Amino acid sequence: MELVCPAGNLPALKAAVDNGANAVYIGFRDDTNARHFAGLNFAPNKMVEGIRYARAKGVRVFIALNTYPRPDSFNRFEQAVDRAAELGVDALIAADIGVLDYASRTHPKLNLHLSVQGSATNYEALRFYREQFGIRRAVLPRVLSISQVKHVIDQSPVEIEVFAFGSLCVMVEGRCILSSYATGRSPNTYGACSPASHVEWIETDSGLDTRLGGVLIQRHPKGENVGYPTLCKGTFNTDGRIDHAIEDAVSLNAMELLPEMVAAGVKAVKIEGRQRSPVYVAQVTKIWREALDSFARNPSSFAPKPEWTAALGKVSEGAQTTLGPYHRPWQ
Amino acid sequence: MSEPQTPTAAAQNNHRPRLSLGPISYYWPKAQIDAFYAMVAEAPVDIVYLGETICSKRNQVRHEDWLAIAERLAEHGKEVVLSTLTLLEAESELKRLRAICEQTQFMVEANDMGAVHLLAGRPFAIGPSVNCYNDRTLAVLAKQGLKRWALPVELTHETLEQMQQAKPDGVETEVMAYGRLPLAYSARCFTARHKDLPKDDCRDACLDYPDGLVVKTQDEQAFLVLNGIQTQSAHTVNLLAELPTMRQLGVDILRISPQATQMEQVIALFDQALRAALDPAEASAQLNALMPVGPCDGYWHGEAGMAATAKLAPAAH
């Protein structure tokens, strides 16, 4: 099982490599990837340095180029594909059909992964991407149960990577434009969800309101912990009921399903969080490395250690974790 | 792009987009669906998309019933297209998808790349949930047999113009011009969740909400609509005032997405504007009164999707 870890900058990449990642995924410093945040990602010279560092320790490097270019930005995406090929990365993670087409034609030796942003939830879709572009791996959206993951893998023409830890999209990735509905910017077009540029924090008599694109997302009483106003995790009024109408502020931690994931034939587990700190990357990578090693040594008696779960819980959004779609308590 | 033409100039333009009716996105009782399509059979729409695109648990109308509705509409001169499920997870869903893709009587609108794979080599359409953000994607799909694509709803008229300039020959362009915007899909059913029901035992929760369930902000702004596993905009997109621009850009089809009430009037206003019997801006203003909450048109103009620009209510500005 390959452990694929996020790196939003060089210190995070080193943290992932030093703590036991098998692969790291990174992005260029622009809107060609789905973590287009100020100050994040790799300038060209840092990318070269990062790849050299990872390679020296036998760690693979993937570049995420997983937003959807419009005609007037397609040329920049072509240049980014060329650059990734020049750098000799181990895989390019892409979502857009035009980008995949360009990459497969221009750089036939470049290893292509279908991004989670490609929204492929079934093996018929995977067959399309395999036949058209020769993709070798796909990252599944965080919407399938573990038995559905297994069913996809049984019929899939490519290896499957799944998210195992980190922030949780409750919507199918690549098919959610809630963010642009409120702000004009979405993961597909801009590479960011609920962008900080559109967040307002407004103190009121009763506490703090957080707004996104002017829309009230959260209303915090005085003294309450204030979370980031990610749109789908807001508190709304549905038919007089005030609650998280779409999703609670929780994170994914699928560690206890590791044996089932291995049995299902999952080839790689992915940690979310290129926007998080090097300290987060180091902690999460280290714990997942220990867990994978522990499982490899003794698969039949594997169980997450309480100290792992506690430590992962502390770095999770909302400080609560869930098995998310994989076990579907709500289904 | 140059300034949109005046209505008079537009009327002189020979390019007359056709009118389509998208699939019903909500869950209605069979009697309501039958009555709806009986109305549609007589209504001035050219193309009708049929089928369940949101949830495979919705079973008021089965595959054979959809085909029967399709045949009746075809007899009334409508071009019928069968629409496929957007989020495919279970094998049973793929089985139903294959049944739709294997029939050859009607063209199919693929709403997932799995459907595109099954349809490759035959003429097919793609719906707004297939991410087609550039002409290079269009070119790849055209080689597979793509005959019609729908502009993803978050894209602007400027992007559409770029797409139109580079579009492969023989591919038609459709724009969603009226309806609540499809914003997101999840494996979770938000309607069942709202009723504290498990998805597998949802007791047809969606039947209670023929226009979906409105989500308001805590300061009482209507914001989103829960429609089973889909999230829509609470506001209804209205691009009828953009008809002159759409003519200029060579848009082939304007799509209306059904709502539970007032559809005859909505269709009539589009028809009048398309026939140049009514000024598009005037027709657009009349449409705004027929919506469950109110209008928006931000995406088309490069703003937040929920924005209602001055173009929507010229009289007020």
Side-chain angles (χ1 to χ4, degrees):
Chain A
M1 179 76 80
E2 187 175 48
L3 179 60
V4 183
C5 296
N9 54 35
L10 191 57
L13 180 143
K14 289 180 176 174
V17 169
D18 295 346
N19 284 282
N22 300 114
V24 292
Y25 61 106
I26 61 180
F28 292 109
R29 189 164 262 194
D30 58 21
D31 62 356
T32 60
N33 73 91
R35 289 290 182 276
H36 176 210
F37 298 163
L40 201 69
N41 291 317
F42 287 73
N45 59 327
K46 296 286 180 189
M47 200 170 254
V48 171
E49 194 181 339
I51 291 172
R52 196 178 297 139
Y53 189 89
R55 282 284 165 69
K57 302 210 175 180
V59 173
R60 305 208 296 162
V61 178
F62 306 157
I63 289 188
L65 194 75
N66 57 350
T67 51
Y68 287 87
R70 280 143 285 168
D72 60 359
S73 56
F74 201 86
N75 187 252
R76 282 197 295 112
F77 280 67
E78 287 182 339
Q79 289 166 9
V81 172
D82 295 344
R83 181 75 184 133
E86 264 170 43
L87 288 165
V89 291
D90 296 283
L92 182 74
I93 309 170
D96 180 69
I97 287 171
V99 169
L100 287 163
D101 183 58
Y102 175 79
S104 66
R105 284 169 187 282
T106 316
H107 305 284
K109 288 184 181 159
L110 184 58
N111 185 19
L112 297 177
H113 291 182
L114 181 67
S115 168
V116 70
Q117 291 293 118
S119 318
T121 56
N122 61 86
Y123 59 84
E124 293 291 359
L126 295 177
R127 286 175 182 169
F128 174 86
Y129 292 101
R130 172 72 185 175
E131 287 169 18
Q132 294 299 314
F133 316 119
I135 64 159
R136 308 266 284 277
R137 178 183 287 188
V139 186
L140 295 182
R142 282 161 278 190
V143 296
L144 300 175
S145 68
I146 193 75
S147 67
Q148 287 172 337
V149 169
K150 181 177 186 324
H151 184 67
V152 170
I153 291 171
D154 288 345
Q155 307 288 330
S156 171
V158 299
E159 357 180 291
I160 294 299
E161 175 176 316
V162 300
F163 277 92
F165 185 83
S167 290
L168 185 58
C169 281
V170 70
M171 305 301 185
V172 181
E173 293 91 336
R175 281 182 169 172
C176 178
I177 56 170
L178 289 174
S179 176
S180 64
Y181 185 63
T183 71
R185 291 177 169 183
S186 77
N188 286 0
T189 54
Y190 183 76
C193 171
S194 308
S197 52
H198 289 67
V199 172
E200 294 168 278
W201 313 85
I202 300 157
E203 283 197 48
T204 64
D205 290 343
S206 53
L208 187 74
D209 287 356
T210 52
R211 288 179 182 269
L212 182 73
V215 178
L216 180 61
I217 302 295
Q218 290 284 4
R219 178 157 272 175
H220 303 275
K222 281 201 170 99
E224 191 182 271
N225 280 343
V226 176
Y228 189 85
T230 305
L231 201 159
C232 63
K233 289 162 185 167
T235 304
F236 300 107
N237 177 349
T238 314
D239 237 0
R241 179 170 156 171
I242 294 177
D243 63 2
H244 294 284
I246 299 172
E247 174 64 325
D248 301 326
V250 293
S251 291
L252 175 69
N253 181 8
M255 189 182 281
E256 69 177 82
L257 297 177
L258 190 54
E260 288 173 73
M261 286 182 172
V262 172
V266 170
K267 277 285 189 305
V269 284
K270 184 166 209 150
I271 308 299
E272 186 275 346
R274 282 193 286 134
Q275 74 284 11
R276 303 289 299 264
S277 70
V279 174
Y280 164 92
V281 173
Q283 284 180 334
V284 176
T285 304
K286 184 167 185 286
I287 292 170
W288 273 85
R289 177 79 269 152
E290 282 181 39
L292 288 169
D293 290 348
S294 160
F295 177 81
R297 278 194 303 274
N298 201 342
S300 57
S301 66
F302 175 81
K305 289 185 183 169
E307 60 264 35
W308 296 343
T309 308
L312 291 174
K314 273 187 201 154
V315 297
S316 296
E317 184 187 5
Q320 281 180 52
T321 61
T322 165
L323 293 172
Y326 296 123
H327 84 139
R328 306 189 151 200
W330 35 266
Q331 187 164 36
Chain B
M1 204 177 89
S2 58
E3 280 298 301
Q5 300 173 6
T6 63
T8 317
Q12 288 163 352
N13 189 328
N14 286 330
H15 180 73
R16 180 195 187 290
R18 283 172 290 157
L19 191 58
S20 78
L21 192 63
I24 299 169
S25 59
Y26 308 108
Y27 191 28
W28 296 347
K30 180 153 192 309
Q32 186 178 352
I33 293 170
D34 287 340
F36 180 74
Y37 285 115
M39 177 277 285
V40 170
E42 308 295 336
V45 295
D46 304 293
I47 303 164
V48 184
Y49 293 86
L50 290 179
E52 176 56 50
T53 59
I54 306 298
C55 177
S56 59
K57 292 184 173 65
R58 297 176 176 180
N59 57 6
Q60 290 276 321
V61 178
R62 294 176 186 280
H63 181 61
E64 298 69 32
D65 304 327
W66 282 122
L67 291 179
I69 295 171
E71 278 170 21
R72 279 202 301 279
L73 289 168
E75 283 163 15
H76 280 81
K78 309 300 181 196
E79 180 196 326
V80 175
V81 181
L82 301 184
S83 294
T84 67
L85 198 66
T86 305
L87 173 57
L88 296 154
E89 300 169 282
E91 189 62 34
S92 57
E93 292 164 347
L94 288 174
K95 192 178 160 199
R96 283 191 218 181
L97 174 68
R98 287 188 191 102
I100 296 169
C101 294
E102 280 163 10
Q103 64 77 41
T104 52
Q105 194 178 356
F106 303 104
M107 189 161 80
V108 177
E109 176 189 68
N111 287 312
D112 178 84
M113 291 312 294
V116 170
H117 182 250
L118 292 173
L119 292 163
R122 294 171 35 197
F124 67 93
I126 54 171
S129 66
V130 170
N131 285 341
C132 189
Y133 280 65
N134 53 69
D135 52 293
R136 305 292 281 270
T137 297
L138 271 181
V140 172
L141 295 175
K143 281 190 204 147
Q144 304 295 311
L146 182 74
K147 293 294 169 208
R148 183 181 299 160
W149 73 291
L151 181 74
V153 299
E154 71 169 339
L155 297 183
T156 67
H157 68 84
E158 282 159 348
T159 298
L160 177 63
E161 183 175 20
Q162 295 165 21
M163 300 282 277
Q164 291 297 84
Q165 283 164 359
K167 182 169 68 88
D169 290 340
V171 176
E172 293 178 325
T173 299
E174 181 160 352
V175 174
M176 179 168 166
Y178 183 93
R180 281 177 156 163
L181 294 162
L183 298 180
Y185 300 86
S186 175
R188 172 170 281 189
C189 176
F190 304 112
T191 307
R193 176 178 150 96
H194 176 73
K195 294 192 148 195
D196 294 318
L197 292 168
K199 184 180 176 189
D200 278 349
D201 182 25
C202 67
R203 298 178 212 168
D204 286 344
C206 289
L207 280 175
D208 292 347
Y209 306 103
D211 273 323
L213 172 57
V214 173
V215 174
K216 292 180 182 173
T217 59
Q218 289 187 69
D219 55 358
E220 292 292 311
Q221 303 300 308
F223 182 37
L224 303 172
V225 161
L226 305 180
N227 174 36
I229 64 139
Q230 186 193 41
T231 308
Q232 300 180 333
S233 61
H235 288 76
T236 300
V237 76
N238 175 7
L239 298 181
L240 186 49
E242 303 303 317
L243 181 57
T245 306
M246 292 209 210
R247 285 186 198 272
Q248 212 175 28
L249 293 179
V251 171
D252 298 286
I253 299 153
L254 304 191
R255 177 183 293 212
I256 296 171
S257 184
Q259 62 189 36
T261 59
Q262 316 265 32
M263 280 308 286
E264 227 172 327
Q265 295 90 320
V266 170
I267 293 168
L269 286 167
F270 269 86
D271 176 58
Q272 289 168 47
L274 284 166
R275 287 191 287 106
L278 186 61
D279 176 73
E282 172 57 30
S284 166
Q286 290 187 34
L287 276 178
N288 293 342
L290 303 174
M291 299 168 178
V293 170
C296 64
D297 65 348
Y299 279 136
W300 178 260
H301 298 286
E303 298 182 20
M306 65 183 180
T309 72
K311 293 287 290 287
L312 272 176
H317 292 262

